[in-house]
Each structure stands twice: as structure tokens, then as C-alpha cells.
Amino acid sequence: MNGKKRCLLPLLLAGVLFSCTVTFSAAKKIPTILVCPKTLDNSFWGNVRAGAMTAGKEYGASVIWKGPTVETDIAGQLAIMEDFVNKRVDAIALAATDVKALYAPVKKALNAKIPVVSFDSGLDPDPTLCLIATDNYKGAFEAGEALARLIGQKGKIACIPLISGASTSILREKGFNAAIARYPGIRLVAVQYSESDVAKGMAVAENILTANPDLDGIFAANEPGAMGAAQAVKARGLSGKVKLVAFDASPMEIEMLQNGTIQALIVQNPYNMGYLAVKTCIEALNGKKVPKRIDTGVAVVTMDNFYEPKIQQLLYPAGNSGK
């Protein structure tokens, strides 16, 4: 081999190595993550989606947002889970519509080596790697305390939970009941489920108000129930007289707080919930040990603290990095 060929050989080898490196990098797989909420309806889930999509962009993942059209469609969520487990997505973030029914597809995914994390609502028992959610018991306990203060620690109240069998609803009922049990002057006269539907929430609130014309307060455990109850209270000219404490902070709920139909909101951080659900999936895919529980926080918002900067950021999360 002459000197000229010996000089060219290292350059040729370097070119081959460079070509291999570029090809490998270009072929690097983009992970696909299914984020399956309990429903596609209402602003709470819209904020969850915004956080999930932001995390997908930041961490280089393809996020599929797919859930049932209504929160009571357990069979629909089961079908979605089965479909995407069979399609072998890389990871799943799930807000279970039912604490028992979703156990089987989650176990199937885990057995197929597909990491699954829960967000908002978990399972019982919960085999997922991590639950990313509000402390629903604590938030509802604070709701009970807020309502007790508003009615002077005595009077008749009603509770409008979400859906029987959903872990979120179960925990919020328990937390609320534990709080009001501390006040012997308070009497819980009605518990009726909204089925996470505004019209149903309004109907049950109407029924409760008709049966209890001297009602002092209502706790509505999520956005649809709150909006239904608020409409019923307002329609009867009872705004401010029947005290209303509600979970979540949709634009309409915020407006109802400002005009005095709602007196307190128990505000979660759905944007951060979605962001952390996708981030935790990425961490699990990268072999990182993830915590079993991440509390995304809750705050009681009234007009007394409405304009505080941290409360404003929580109520209007647009532009929030989620970190």
C-alpha cells in the first residue's frame, strides 16, 4: 500500500463511522404515549391535555390523547385501553373511570412490559407505577371546613358527588363527610350524584332544593356538578343565601365565584397533572425509578385570596411550564 492510500484509509474509516452514527441517530425511536382521561369533556380535562402535550414536546414523545366521550362510559375506556395495549404503545397514562373495572387492561399492559401510570384517579388495588393526583380526601376535607365556616357551623347541607365507583368521588365523599362530622350543628340531608353531567347536576340540585327549602349549603364535587348546582341556585334567586362550595375552576365556575353564586372553589392543578403524567412515563421508559405517589396540590380559593399572584397562576395556567 503506497503512502497516498495509507493517508486516505483513516479518512474513509472516519466517514464510515460518521455515516453509521448519523443513521443510528436518525433511526432513534420516538416513544408513543397514550394519555387516556376519564372524558374529553369540560375545561379540567382540557388543561390536563395542555400539560400532557407540553411535556410531550419537551421530552420528544408522541402523545395520543384519547378517552371516552362521557365519564360514565366505562366500557368505552376499557375498549380504548385494550386497543392501545394491542397496538403496543410504549407507555400509558390513565385516569380510570372505575377503580375495579380498569384493573384487567392495566395488568395486561404491565405484563406486556408497557409502563402504566395513573393520573387524577387510581385503581383499587392500584398496580400502576405511580399515581399523579390531587389529594382528593384532603381537598374535600377542606371543602367541608370551608362550607362549615360559610354557614356558621350549623344548618342543613347537601353533597353532590361525581360517580359511584370512581375513586375520585369516593375519596371526596369521605373527606367531606369527615370534615362535617366535626360539627354537631350541621346536618347532611341529601347525597345525590351528578354523573359528571351538568344537566343531571342541575336536576339533582333542583330536587334537593325542592325537598329542603331551608337548605343552607351545597358541596359539588366536580365541575359539571358545580355548574348544574350553581344554575339551580341562581335560577331560584338563592345566590349567596345557599352557600356553594365546589371542586375545580372552569371559566364559568370562576365567573360564578366572582358574581357570588359560588363562595369557594377547591382548585386542583390539572395542567401540572398532565405534564407530570407524561414526564413520569418518559422517566419509566428510561429506566428511572419513579415515586409511587405524586401530589399535585390543591388550594381553597375565595374572593378574599382571588387576586393573590399564586392563585391567579393556578386559575389561569396558560403559559405555565408545569415544572
Side-chain angles (χ1 to χ4, degrees), residues 184-206:
I186 295 178
R187 182 182 166 205
L188 180 62
V189 296
V191 177
Q192 294 190 35
Y193 292 86
S194 71
E195 303 294 341
S196 283
D197 179 80
V198 175
K200 182 66 181 292
M202 185 174 182
V204 299
E206 287 280 2

Side-chain angles (χ1 to χ4, degrees), residues 26-306:
K28 186 177 180 181
K29 187 176 184 297
I30 296 173
T32 300
I33 299 171
L34 168 66
V35 181
C36 186
K38 290 195 286 188
T39 178
L40 303 177
D41 194 19
N42 77 52
S43 64
F44 176 88
W45 298 108
N47 283 327
V48 173
R49 182 184 184 277
M53 293 302 176
T54 297
K57 289 178 182 178
E58 288 189 17
Y59 290 94
S62 174
V63 174
I64 300 170
W65 176 261
K66 190 172 180 64
T69 53
V70 293
E71 203 167 317
T72 51
D73 187 9
I74 298 169
Q77 193 176 49
L78 280 167
I80 291 167
M81 285 291 290
E82 289 284 350
D83 182 31
F84 282 91
V85 171
N86 291 336
K87 286 177 177 175
R88 301 286 303 179
V89 290
D90 295 293
I92 296 171
L94 170 70
T97 53
D98 186 272
V99 292
K100 300 293 185 183
L102 275 295
Y103 182 85
V106 166
K107 283 297 290 182
K108 182 178 178 181
L110 293 170
N111 289 339
K113 308 300 182 186
I114 299 172
V116 183
V117 303
S118 296
F119 69 96
D120 181 69
S121 301
L123 300 169
D124 183 20
D126 196 338
T128 62
L129 303 180
C130 177
L131 172 61
I132 302 152
T134 302
D135 185 333
N136 286 293
Y137 182 96
K138 178 183 176 184
F141 189 94
E142 293 190 17
E145 288 288 312
L147 188 55
R149 287 192 298 271
L150 286 164
I151 66 171
Q153 301 181 5
K154 62 181 180 179
K156 295 181 179 180
I157 63 170
C159 177
I160 303 178
L162 291 66
I163 298 169
S164 179
S167 68
T168 306
S169 192
I170 293 167
L171 289 168
R172 289 180 190 176
E173 287 182 72
K174 287 181 177 178
F176 180 72
N177 289 337
I180 64 172
R182 302 174 65 216
Y183 302 97
I186 295 178
R187 182 182 166 205
L188 180 62
V189 296
V191 177
Q192 294 190 35
Y193 292 86
S194 71
E195 303 294 341
S196 283
D197 179 80
V198 175
K200 182 66 181 292
M202 185 174 182
V204 299
E206 287 280 2
N207 292 339
I208 292 168
L209 289 166
T210 298
N212 302 276
D214 55 347
L215 194 73
D216 295 289
I218 298 174
F219 167 53
N222 75 341
E223 177 189 334
M227 291 312 305
Q231 289 174 30
V233 167
K234 188 175 181 180
R236 293 196 175 208
L238 296 173
S239 297
K241 183 177 180 181
V242 175
K243 307 300 183 184
L244 180 54
V245 175
F247 250 85
D248 299 324
S250 70
M252 284 299 293
E253 284 180 288
I254 294 170
E255 183 180 325
M256 290 286 191
L257 177 69
Q258 290 175 301
N259 69 27
T261 304
I262 294 174
Q263 281 67 50
L265 294 174
I266 310 302
V267 183
Q268 306 179 77
N269 195 332
Y271 183 97
N272 209 32
M273 204 178 288
Y275 184 97
L276 291 173
V278 170
K279 179 185 177 188
T280 304
C281 283
I282 295 292
E283 290 173 344
L285 287 170
N286 289 336
K288 183 177 178 180
K289 184 175 175 60
V290 299
K292 189 64 180 174
R293 178 75 166 88
I294 298 175
D295 183 354
T296 51
V298 68
V300 179
V301 178
T302 67
M303 288 311 299
D304 290 336
N305 64 355
F306 184 85

